[in-house]
Amino acid sequence: MKAATAHIDLEALKHNLGRVKQQAPNSKVMAVVKANSYGHGLHYVAQHASAADAFGVARIEEALQLRASGVVKPILLLEGFYSSRDLPVLVTNSIHTVVHCEEQLYDLEKASLENPVVVWLKIDSGMHRLGVRPEHFEHFVERLEACKNVAKPLRYMSHFGCADELDKPITQKQIELFLSLTKGCLGERSLANSAGVLAWPDSQLEWVRPGIILYGVSPLPNKTATDLGFKPVMTLKSHLIAVRTVKSGESVGYGGNWTSDRDTKVGVIAIGYGDGYPRMAPNGTPVLVNGRKVPMAGRVSMDMLTVDLGPDAKDKVGDEAILWGNGLDVEEVAHHIGTIAYELVTKLTSRVDMEYSGKA
Ligand SMILES: *Cc1c(COP(=O)(O)O)cnc(C)c1O
């Protein structure tokens, strides 16, 4: 029996892509598959996301891996290229790039390339991480329009900083600023991430860029993906390797940081931080065993973790434990741990066995 398995439901992925299309019926979909498709496996996801119109990645290596596996759809480097040496690689592999700063603009102007590159000009509409400031927008447009290495028409994008916080005014301001700057521009535009798709329909425009929601994880607080009609793609599973009696007053695990207040049964599950399950998960973090949520009891070890199964537990060695996924929302687990589900699904280690289901 495998110790830790991440089961990836590719039918659920297709369902989620379909739901995105229902939510944004007039937009093309750039499926964001950076960081190994948020930990789900780049090639499998790309192969099964056949309804996507393009793919978004963070690193040129990710784009090249997609091309090597036969993907012919457009691929965009969401942060652009990091070195002028990458430009010929973009041309050869027809990879599109973001331009967000003066250095990238300069490299494009100085390069001698066999063909022009498709460029998305990234505007800083208020997140203040990457992008051209609004007062410099005209200047960048003029130089990019004049640059022979840039395919025309130029495209435009921006990114939200707080789209998951529905009561903050900043997202509406970002939308308005982006629309006013790009008014009258010919090229296609893109603004919405997953939270934009779900909560800010004005931001959908010609292209949406969903990431996390494709994997069946909600970007919105107080709403799980299941609530929103999406299905979890990843189910992280392990099993019980011991069911032990622990007496009232006894402590379990490293540091003895959980002490039982009754005689009970403690289950030992074969997954730990060596598999990417966070060591910071506190006592009480839920784990699903035989259909019931049982609380973490004691510190997560490298290869194991322990749960309080309760005094009357009938669970046996070999029984399955679900850490998140079907039956236990990863959002709920993330909330207990004090992180976001994005981090949980992305951080599994290579020791976890990846198992796929679903037709191509
Ligand atoms: C990661 C990323 C996305 C997708 O964000 P989600 O919140 O996962 O939907 C979209 N656009 C850019 C620029 C990104 O970096």
Side-chain angles (χ1 to χ4, degrees):
M1 202 182 302
K2 292 278 174 15
T5 304
H7 180 265
I8 307 296
D9 180 351
L10 295 163
E11 290 300 322
L13 174 82
K14 286 186 193 172
H15 166 87
N16 296 337
L17 192 48
R19 282 285 297 141
V20 165
K21 293 196 154 215
Q22 284 174 347
Q23 295 274 322
N26 302 315
S27 307
K28 287 184 270 190
V29 177
M30 181 182 296
V32 179
V33 294
K34 60 195 180 190
N36 193 30
S37 291
Y38 293 46
H40 291 67
L42 180 64
H43 301 303
Y44 290 92
V45 167
Q47 232 173 49
H48 286 77
S50 47
D53 301 287
F55 293 103
V57 297
R59 305 277 193 265
I60 196 166
E61 291 78 8
E62 296 169 341
L64 292 174
Q65 283 165 26
L66 284 174
R67 286 283 179 254
S69 71
V71 168
V72 293
K73 286 184 181 162
I75 302 173
L76 174 62
L77 282 185
L78 293 165
E79 292 142 41
F81 56 95
Y82 298 155
S83 152
S84 60
R85 285 191 302 274
D86 294 339
L87 282 170
V89 182
L90 299 188
V91 171
T92 310
N93 295 280
S94 68
I95 298 167
H96 302 178
T97 185
V98 156
V99 165
H100 61 76
C101 65
E102 183 77 30
E103 292 81 352
Q104 289 174 328
L105 176 55
Y106 180 83
D107 284 344
L108 269 168
E109 288 173 335
K110 289 287 160 279
S112 92
L113 302 175
E114 294 206 351
N115 279 302
V117 185
V118 174
V119 169
W120 290 78
L121 176 57
K122 181 161 188 172
I123 303 167
D124 175 12
S125 60
M127 184 182 186
H128 307 313
R129 186 181 59 182
L130 285 184
V132 170
R133 294 188 59 87
E135 59 270 30
H136 301 145
F137 174 72
E138 286 302 334
H139 176 74
F140 270 77
V141 172
E142 274 166 30
R143 282 172 63 186
L144 287 166
E145 295 281 7
C147 179
K148 63 179 185 328
N149 290 323
V150 174
K152 312 297 175 327
L154 193 55
R155 302 175 180 200
Y156 306 90
M157 57 101 70
S158 187
H159 194 52
F160 289 136
C162 311
D164 54 331
E165 298 177 71
L166 306 190
D167 46 358
K168 277 198 183 165
I170 169 83
T171 302
Q172 196 55 45
K173 288 208 180 106
Q174 286 195 258
I175 296 172
E176 281 161 20
L177 178 57
F178 183 76
L179 291 179
S180 80
L181 284 172
T182 56
K183 196 161 179 248
C185 293
L186 278 181
E188 294 178 324
R189 300 159 300 167
S190 178
L191 193 44
N193 54 2
S194 296
V197 170
L198 297 169
W200 304 91
D202 290 358
S203 72
Q204 292 174 351
L205 308 175
E206 288 82 27
W207 284 89
V208 292
R209 306 189 308 270
I212 198 75
I213 196 63
L214 295 177
Y215 308 103
V217 177
S218 172
L220 305 177
N222 312 321
K223 277 225 172 83
T224 67
T226 323
D227 295 338
L228 296 161
F230 291 80
K231 294 181 183 169
V233 175
M234 178 189 289
T235 296
L236 181 63
K237 300 184 292 193
S238 181
H239 60 269
L240 289 167
I241 56 167
V243 177
R244 313 199 55 252
T245 298
V246 170
K247 299 254 168 79
S248 180
E250 290 179 337
S251 301
V252 173
Y254 288 119
N257 84 332
W258 181 83
T259 305
S260 190
D261 58 5
R262 58 182 178 171
D263 293 356
T264 189
K265 292 204 172 130
V266 162
V268 184
I269 298 171
I271 189 168
Y273 64 80
D275 303 285
Y277 190 96
R279 183 174 172 279
M280 298 318 291
N283 290 325
T285 304
V287 175
L288 199 67
V289 175
N290 289 318
R292 55 189 215 290
K293 285 181 198 171
V294 294
M296 186 85 60
R299 217 169 256 167
V300 174
S301 314
M302 189 181 290
D303 314 305
M304 290 173 270
L305 55 80
T306 41
V307 293
D308 182 6
L309 295 169
D312 305 320
K314 302 279 185 294
D315 313 289
K316 307 177 304 296
V317 167
D319 287 357
E320 184 175 89
I322 290 180
L323 289 309
W324 60 68
N326 264 330
L328 177 59
D329 291 322
V330 64
E331 295 94 328
E332 180 182 345
V333 178
H335 182 75
H336 274 269
I337 297 175
T339 183
I340 55 174
Y342 292 73
E343 187 178 12
L344 296 186
V345 293
T346 305
K347 269 196 171 166
L348 297 184
T349 67
S350 58
R351 193 166 80 173
V352 176
D353 196 51
M354 303 296 290
E355 175 188 286
Y356 292 87
S357 72
K359 294 181 294 293

